[in-house]
């Protein structure tokens, strides 16, 4: 099906939406993005995604080119126009296309930002066969830049990490700095030991996941014990269970790390319960 996408104020068929070769997103990865999940044709955690988007833009001296209300309308219109039931809305904002390639930022009064949004249908997002099976991860060095808290479109290394995982027969990679797990290639990492849920605290070293925050809130409300501290890859391999969180996977159990099976090799009770709670709460709160 030909999708309708949004580009700089227009709704167009996907094959008619074009961005300049001078766009700084293309030339310099000078842009930020958000991925908002859609359940029952409704947006999950929209307000929190916009708050993070505003922060990413501010850190890079950019502005939000639309009002929050307009942005919500664009998201909802794309969901409607594409009859999206389960999936994602992808949004990207770049510093635009100045007439020349130049390392200095263009004057924002002369160079309008580029904003694009499109949908991706993902049937089975909530009723995921993979979640019943769990995923395998490998560990790799985290060689990304120092501002991973900004959701920029510089995704080459995470993409390479994903390929390293696939080539070794795993599903994803957890990245390590000084022996400690930072996060997954496109998700936040958690382990569970003696019913305690452990995840790395927020800093510039990881993306401040919206799903991470929601899952932590739901875990606390369900009286689960939660600790924010760094954990090593050895500790992860000795954990009772592990899982990742992201808008594209919700809560996804991890059953193997670097070839070491966790527990009995099936999704853990805590991860499974948190996935159920997360999806049912999102169904109630999505808009
Ligand atoms: N990725 N860490 C990284 C490096 C990420 O790229 C993501 C999200 C997360 C989880 O954040 P959230 O819960 O807000 O989705 C953590 C998105 C889904 C992506 O790049 O497709």
């Amino acid at each position: 099906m030909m999708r309708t996408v949004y580009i700089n104020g227009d709704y167009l068929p996907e094959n008619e939406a074009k961005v300049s070769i001078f766009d700084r997103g293309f030339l310099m990865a000078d842009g930020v993005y958000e991925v908002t999940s859609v359940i029952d044709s409704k947006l999950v955690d929209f307000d929190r995604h916009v708050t993070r988007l505003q922060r990413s833009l501010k850190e890079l001296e950019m502005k939000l080119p639309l009002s929050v209300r307009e942005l919500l309308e664009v998201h909802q219109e794309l969901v409607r126009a594409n009859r999206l039931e389960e999936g994602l809305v992808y949004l990207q904002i770049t510093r635009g296309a100045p007439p020349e390639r130049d390392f200095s930022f263009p004057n924002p009064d002369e160079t309008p930002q580029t904003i694009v949004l499109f949908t991706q249908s993902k049937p089975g997002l909530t009723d995921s066969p993979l979640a019943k099976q769990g995923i395998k991860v490998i560990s790799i060095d985290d060689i990304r830049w120092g501002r991973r808290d900004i959701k920029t479109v510089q995704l080459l290394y995470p993409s390479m990490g994903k390929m390293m995982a696939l080539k070794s027969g795993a599903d994803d990679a957890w990245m390590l700095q000084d022996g400690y797990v930072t996060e997954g290639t496109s998700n936040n990492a958690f382990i569970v030991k003696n019913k305690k849920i452990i995840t790395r605290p927020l800093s510039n070293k990881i993306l401040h996941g919206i799903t991470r925050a929601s899952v932590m809130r739901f875990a606390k409300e369900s009286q689960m014990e939660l600790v924010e501290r760094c954990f090593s890859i050895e500790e992860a391999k000795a954990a009772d269970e592990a899982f990742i969180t992201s808008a594209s996977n919700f809560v996804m159990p991890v059953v193997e790390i670097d070839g070491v099976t966790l527990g009995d090799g099936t999704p853990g009770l805590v991860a499974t319960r948190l996935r159920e709670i997360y999806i049912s709460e999102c169904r109630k709160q999505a808009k």
Side-chain angles (χ1 to χ4, degrees):
M1 186 185 98
M2 179 84 75
R3 273 173 298 189
T4 298
V5 303
Y6 177 88
I7 176 164
N8 301 330
D10 294 321
Y11 293 94
L12 293 176
E14 61 184 45
N15 60 345
E16 286 175 28
K18 299 276 188 321
V19 177
S20 162
I21 63 159
F22 298 110
D23 196 279
R24 287 178 60 96
F26 175 63
L27 294 179
M28 294 182 170
D30 186 0
V32 299
Y33 76 108
E34 276 299 329
V35 175
T36 304
S37 55
V38 172
I39 302 182
D40 305 333
S41 302
K42 289 191 200 140
L43 300 158
V44 174
D45 270 338
F46 175 80
D47 296 341
R48 292 187 176 91
H49 282 283
V50 175
T51 301
R52 183 174 63 188
L53 174 66
Q54 286 171 313
R55 179 176 179 279
S56 294
L57 289 165
K58 186 161 166 278
E59 293 298 307
L60 299 178
E61 298 172 37
M62 280 195 260
K63 292 213 158 63
L64 189 62
L66 302 178
S67 70
V68 173
R69 205 182 140 172
E70 286 166 334
L71 209 54
L72 174 62
E73 281 166 11
V74 175
H75 277 74
Q76 290 176 331
E77 176 55 23
L78 287 181
V79 169
R80 195 199 60 73
N82 294 302
R83 296 191 187 89
L84 186 66
E85 284 169 22
E86 280 198 356
L88 309 167
V89 180
Y90 178 89
L91 167 153
Q92 178 168 330
I93 299 172
T94 77
R95 210 180 300 274
E100 301 292 338
R101 176 177 179 269
D102 191 335
F103 279 78
S104 50
F105 294 169
N107 180 343
D109 296 333
E110 291 163 11
T111 302
Q113 289 163 287
T114 303
I115 174 165
V116 300
L117 285 95
F118 57 83
T119 54
Q120 280 185 214
S121 175
K122 287 202 167 216
L125 195 59
T126 51
D127 189 20
S128 157
L130 200 56
K132 294 187 180 91
Q133 187 186 319
I135 62 162
K136 299 174 183 177
V137 301
I138 57 163
S139 60
I140 59 171
D141 275 349
D142 197 337
I143 60 165
R144 296 174 300 161
W145 78 325
R147 290 304 307 275
R148 303 161 193 161
D149 56 311
I150 308 174
K151 200 164 169 63
T152 74
V153 296
Q154 310 175 60
L155 297 176
L156 181 56
Y157 187 65
S159 176
M160 289 169 73
K162 180 86 180 173
M163 290 314 295
M164 288 184 236
L166 295 179
K167 277 181 194 150
S168 67
D171 302 287
D172 202 1
W174 278 10
M175 295 180 278
L176 305 183
Q177 191 162 356
D178 305 320
Y180 291 97
V181 176
T182 52
E183 59 187 332
T185 57
S186 59
N187 45 68
N188 291 111
F190 291 74
I191 58 171
V192 182
K193 186 75 182 177
N194 299 329
K195 301 210 168 84
K196 220 180 264 172
I197 304 166
I198 303 159
T199 195
R200 189 177 178 111
L202 296 181
S203 70
N204 292 351
K205 292 190 162 64
I206 62 169
L207 185 77
H208 302 187
I210 304 301
T211 321
R212 172 190 181 279
S214 296
V215 165
M216 286 172 63
R217 221 171 38 248
F218 300 144
K220 278 182 206 154
E221 283 166 14
S222 309
Q223 324 300 331
M224 296 180 182
E225 199 181 342
L226 198 86
V227 189
E228 279 182 274
R229 66 162 173 82
C230 291
F231 59 88
S232 68
I233 192 68
E234 285 75 28
E235 193 180 358
K237 286 180 205 168
D240 300 326
E241 47 177 299
F243 61 91
I244 56 167
T245 60
S246 75
S248 47
N249 279 298
F250 303 150
V251 177
M252 179 60 71
V254 171
V255 293
E256 192 184 294
I257 304 174
D258 285 338
V260 176
T261 302
L262 303 189
D264 65 1
T266 63
L269 288 176
V270 173
T272 304
R273 180 82 193 107
L274 280 175
R275 183 178 172 87
E276 282 165 10
I277 297 173
Y278 180 79
I279 292 172
S280 83
E281 286 300 317
C282 289
R283 279 199 199 285
K284 284 186 222 155
Q285 295 174 16
K287 65 179 184 188

